[in-house]
Amino acid sequence: MALHFQSLAELEVLCTHLYIGTDLAQRIEAEKALLELIDSPECLSKCQLLLEQGTTSYAQLLAATCLSKLVSRVSPLPVEQRIDINYFLTGNYILNYVASQPKLAPFVIQALIQVIAKITKLGWFEVQKDQFIFREIIADVKKFLQGTVEHCIIGVIILSELTQEMNLVDYSRPSAKHRKIATSFRDTSLKDILVLACSLLKEMLAKPLNLQDQDQQNLVMQVLKLVLNCLNFDFIGSSADESADDLCTVQIPATWRTIFLEPETLDLFFNLYHSLPPLLSQLALSCLVQFASTRRSLFSSPERAKYLGNLIKGVKRILENPQGLSDPGNYHEFCRFLARLKTNYQLGELVMVKEYPEVIRLIANFTVTSLQHWEFAPNSVHYLLTLWQRMVASVPFVKSTEPHLLDTYAPEITKAFITSRLESVAIVVRDNLDDPLDDPATVFQQLEQLCTVSRCEYEKTCTLLVQLFDQNAQNYQKLLHSASGMTVDMAIQEGRLAWLVYLVGTVVGGRLTYTSTDEHDAMDGELSCRVFQLISLMDTGLPQCCNEKIELAILWFLDQFRKTYVGDQLQRTSKEATGGCVPPN
């Protein structure tokens, strides 16, 4: 027995050296010794000893880490040993363990739960006495949900970690086996987990939420994360590229159809958004993003229209009560939500929704405000511009007689983008802020989205750009002839001209052969002439009027002009392209 406790003390010393030790040599020795422990036949018993009698969180963490490495080996353990580990960790062990040690470190709980998830996945098809012995975990976890808030949190985290683990591809093992396990889990357990999570959320929302209670807040967060993990599951093994966010469609199984058809499901998450603080409400919005991305084929046409109507009602409610959107996380998720609506639904379907005229007005006002506050969450603007780009691009294909109203609101979006970018220059120069023009990838992406929007009611766009270009070019010419040299005013004027040249190149590059007219080509000529005049003006003032940002903008313009009016693939010849553009004296 003395040797037993001496061994425990030695293990705890090694844990301390490994995790918080400052002596490099001691850490290396500890790591070697503990690697030997993992390969030792006594590993399981030592892990149990550390968990049950260890006096530090690091001893418990080591036990969980060793168990994780033990069950994750490519050469699998014998079934009997895996059953021992699973019974040891599930059943009532963690429940009793947490109940006896309520201040157990969160990282220890998380490490133990990861072991449960891994061994459940690896043993998903193991059969003993005609039973799938590792699938009892879900029934066992329900016992946690009947306990205290702390136990309920642990139960939800187990389900969440299990869902993530089932969705995680382990490239050290055959991909076919992973897909078989993931598909079986999807078909037998995932729907039940989602229904259980939604039921928990309904129960919590039905009674007053005490969000001052940290445990209550943590429980809501973990349940929302569980729902999100269910909706993010790779249902068909497509391994979608997460970077292609705007192209994502969630391949919800047909067996889940009844859940999505219930209006209460969407209402639940919209109500949660309005009831929760920002840290939690953005998770509710993330779930709504996935609901909005549900594959179209899940519904019949009438069902799809009803589902879309419920989504649009939720959008209207959020925009009519926009206080929560002042939080950057909520704002970003809401922008993603709007973009996903157009990704998965056609403009012809949107205009048929009863609330469409009011909602498109609210979205336009929201977009204009967002563009005017360019410094707030700039990465989210991409989704708003994606929405408007796709809406405008769909106009020629709409067969519905209902008005789409884009000819009213698209020019407002274009004007807001143009004026806000010009107004930002003075703030950037005077406050020495990061210049958006120094991030060409983002600028080009936004301009490519704007080019489609700007061609809607193109006369208004052209008139605005001509007015702003003439005004700023005159101011620039005056500063060139002044004796003050390079001043703050000159830097501001050059920044504005750079933006204007980029914008002219954008609208000229947005010309489409099948929708363009001679009048539109004449407008392109008016704008292009002004850029050529600016080039001539800068050439006469060299070298003192050389500006890198303007020159880069001119290169962008020339590239767009070449592709539109000088390229080899042109289907018709424009008078503006052949007639030339002679600057006035």
Side-chain angles (χ1 to χ4, degrees), residues 39-328:
D39 294 329
S40 167
E42 300 179 351
C43 180
L44 188 58
S45 61
K46 296 298 183 186
C47 289
Q48 186 171 356
L49 178 67
L50 287 170
L51 282 172
E52 294 180 349
Q53 301 183 34
T55 58
T56 69
S57 297
Y58 300 109
Q60 298 152 353
L61 177 61
L62 175 71
T65 303
C66 288
L67 287 169
S68 180
K69 291 183 179 296
L70 196 62
V71 302
S72 299
R73 287 177 169 175
V74 176
S75 53
L77 298 170
V79 174
E80 293 77 10
Q81 192 172 5
R82 274 181 283 159
I83 293 173
D84 290 342
I85 296 174
N86 194 51
Y87 177 76
F88 167 62
L89 287 174
T90 56
N92 289 323
Y93 180 80
I94 295 181
L95 181 61
N96 295 331
Y97 195 60
V98 174
S100 61
Q101 300 188 46
K103 295 186 178 180
L104 192 67
F107 59 82
V108 176
I109 295 176
Q110 185 64 34
L112 287 169
I113 289 173
Q114 287 174 352
V115 177
I116 296 172
K118 285 182 179 181
I119 200 166
T120 301
K121 179 179 180 179
L122 293 174
W124 190 251
F125 287 107
E126 297 290 352
V127 177
Q128 193 175 70
K129 296 180 181 179
D130 298 326
Q131 288 187 334
F132 290 104
I133 51 179
F134 289 102
R135 298 190 190 184
E136 297 298 320
I137 178 66
I138 296 173
D140 291 336
V141 165
K142 290 183 178 179
K143 299 174 186 177
F144 286 81
L145 305 181
Q146 299 166 2
T148 64
V149 174
E150 291 84 359
H151 298 144
C152 194
I153 290 171
I154 292 173
V156 172
I157 294 176
I158 291 173
L159 292 177
S160 191
E161 186 66 35
L162 179 62
T163 303
Q164 281 188 299
E165 181 65 33
M166 289 293 187
N167 202 34
L168 185 66
V169 180
D170 183 355
Y171 291 101
S172 65
R173 301 176 189 275
S175 59
K177 183 178 181 181
H178 159 74
R179 199 59 235 155
K180 183 180 178 183
I181 293 171
T183 302
S184 174
F185 177 75
R186 177 200 69 192
D187 295 340
T188 61
S189 305
L190 192 57
K191 179 184 175 182
D192 293 337
I193 292 175
L194 177 64
V195 170
L196 178 61
C198 289
S199 299
L200 287 173
L201 289 172
K202 288 176 183 176
E203 290 175 12
M204 288 184 281
L205 199 58
K207 52 189 177 183
L209 284 171
N210 179 18
L211 295 174
Q212 302 302 318
D213 182 347
Q214 193 64 37
D215 287 337
Q216 188 78 24
Q217 186 170 329
N218 190 22
L219 177 58
V220 176
M221 178 186 294
Q222 295 303 335
V223 179
L224 284 170
K225 286 182 177 179
L226 173 58
V227 173
L228 192 56
N229 285 336
C230 290
L231 297 174
N232 280 327
F233 198 82
D234 186 5
F235 296 102
I236 59 173
S238 59
S239 301
D241 182 5
E242 292 182 0
S243 64
D245 181 82
D246 56 338
L247 300 176
C248 183
T249 298
V250 181
Q251 302 292 335
I252 297 296
T255 54
W256 293 25
R257 186 167 160 272
T258 53
I259 303 174
F260 283 68
L261 285 177
E262 295 174 359
E264 295 80 9
T265 303
L266 285 178
D267 290 344
L268 171 64
F269 290 91
F270 280 117
N271 290 335
L272 284 166
Y273 164 77
H274 290 286
S275 305
L276 299 174
L279 184 64
L280 302 177
S281 58
Q282 71 182 65
L283 284 172
L285 276 176
S286 296
C287 293
L288 285 168
V289 170
Q290 297 302 99
F291 279 111
S293 307
T294 303
R295 64 184 174 94
R296 294 170 52 83
S297 55
L298 185 67
F299 309 113
S300 65
S301 293
E303 290 169 345
R304 190 183 310 121
K306 184 178 179 181
Y307 187 74
L308 176 60
N310 291 330
L311 288 170
I312 294 297
K313 287 178 185 176
V315 171
K316 181 182 176 184
R317 185 180 169 196
I318 290 174
L319 289 172
E320 288 177 338
N321 302 275
Q323 299 86 353
L325 298 177
S326 59
D327 175 74

Side-chain angles (χ1 to χ4, degrees), residues 415-460:
K415 180 179 179 181
F417 186 92
I418 293 171
T419 55
S420 64
R421 269 48 192 173
L422 296 185
E423 290 167 1
S424 72
V425 175
I427 300 172
V428 167
V429 171
R430 289 181 178 140
D431 296 346
N432 198 27
L433 302 178
D434 291 338
D435 190 345
L437 287 174
D438 291 334
D439 182 8
T442 300
V443 171
F444 293 161
Q445 182 187 60
Q446 293 180 356
L447 292 177
E448 287 171 2
Q449 293 170 316
L450 182 71
C451 75
T452 304
V453 183
S454 66
R455 301 292 293 202
C456 184
E457 295 296 304
Y458 189 45
E459 296 83 356
K460 296 178 181 179

